[in-house]
Amino acid sequence: MTLHTPAEALADAAAELLKEHDAADLLLRLTQDAARFTGGDAAGLLVRTDGGPLELLAATSHQAMHLELFQAQRDEGPCVDVVRKGVGVVATGRDEILARWPVVGPAIVDAGFSAVHAFPLEWQGGVLGGLNIFGHDGAALDDDSSRTAQALADMVTLVIVQPEHLQADELDRRVTRALGGRVVVEQAKGALAYQLGIDPADAYDVLLERSVRRGLTLTQAAREVLREAQRR
């Protein structure tokens, strides 16, 4: 199937995660999608295991593979920086690339690339690795392309961390935790309905508005309501 939009690529990857799949193949496809949907000419993935050196996970070409491995060997480059700093890295133009990475920069330029972007593979407050996108034209990605690349990097992270097999008891525990959040929301909705003298449907709308206004998740807003109700 040919995917024409980033949304289709993400939806396809999400569907793959719900069934038996080849993780290596899916990671390569997402890396290819990152280059395709951002106008990049090559892309690669580096990840860190057990606090050790960075390892190559996927690359769209032999050239990209070489650049990713060279970064890992020299401990220098955009992917190395993105793992260390936990934020995206951008370098455009030959001079900037050479100035930022004295060893790896010349290899990037010699390969014909004049723009490089790296996006973090974030997981629970840490960074597992980086998604590198290389371009020949020297242009920085626009905001939409950067958001697309980060969304694909996030999907890459989910592919990496998702367990291949989940035991039935662990699945039950996860479903129970999700249901627990829903119970809290229902309790808060009841508390608001009682306090404000409104029906449950309107109370739910009040809770939703409160979560948006205070920058909270719905569950966090519900817990806040219950804490306030207990203090009354």
Side-chain angles (χ1 to χ4, degrees):
M1 178 178 64
T2 302
L3 301 172
H4 299 289
T5 68
E8 289 175 333
L10 290 167
D12 181 68
E16 287 292 310
L17 287 177
L18 299 178
K19 58 189 179 183
E20 291 290 335
H21 60 276
D22 183 330
D25 179 69
L26 183 52
L27 289 168
L28 176 58
R29 282 160 47 196
L30 287 166
T31 306
Q32 292 169 332
D33 289 337
R36 180 189 317 159
F37 293 123
T38 61
D41 296 291
L45 286 173
L46 285 181
V47 295
R48 191 180 299 283
T49 57
D50 296 327
L54 289 169
E55 301 278 357
L56 177 69
L57 197 58
T60 60
S61 66
H62 178 76
Q63 195 175 52
M65 182 183 298
H66 170 74
L67 290 174
E68 296 299 301
L69 288 172
F70 193 44
Q71 289 183 69
Q73 291 166 358
R74 297 294 184 173
D75 197 30
E76 177 190 279
C79 256
V80 175
D81 287 354
V82 86
V83 172
R84 285 176 177 162
K85 299 175 182 177
V87 295
V89 172
V90 182
T92 57
R94 180 180 183 277
D95 292 344
E96 183 178 359
I97 291 172
L98 293 176
R100 291 188 69 166
W101 304 295
V103 177
V104 171
I108 294 173
V109 171
D110 289 346
F113 299 117
S114 54
V116 60
H117 299 74
F119 298 87
L121 307 182
E122 300 173 295
W123 178 247
Q124 297 186 350
V127 179
L128 302 180
L131 166 65
N132 237 164
I133 300 174
F134 302 94
H136 292 310
D137 65 3
L141 297 182
D142 60 25
D143 289 344
D144 285 344
S145 293
S146 293
R147 282 192 291 269
T148 294
Q150 188 59 62
L152 289 163
D154 293 342
M155 182 60 76
V156 163
T157 302
L158 292 175
V159 174
I160 294 171
V161 303
Q162 185 199 44
E164 291 187 10
H165 299 286
L166 199 62
Q167 298 297 324
D169 57 346
E170 176 60 20
L171 179 59
D172 287 343
R173 281 195 291 271
R174 295 187 183 197
V175 172
T176 299
R177 283 200 297 270
L179 290 173
R182 184 62 194 170
V183 168
V184 171
V185 169
E186 289 298 321
Q187 290 173 339
K189 188 171 69 174
L192 284 172
Y194 176 77
Q195 292 169 12
L196 302 176
I198 57 179
D199 64 39
D202 289 337
Y204 186 65
D205 290 340
V206 170
L207 185 60
L208 284 172
E209 190 276 333
R210 180 177 183 140
S211 71
V212 172
R213 187 179 70 253
R214 301 201 180 187
L216 303 172
T217 67
L218 187 60
T219 304
Q220 288 172 333
R223 291 194 176 112
E224 186 178 80
V225 167
L226 292 177
R227 284 195 297 269
E228 291 174 358
Q230 289 173 353
R231 290 196 294 265
R232 288 177 184 271

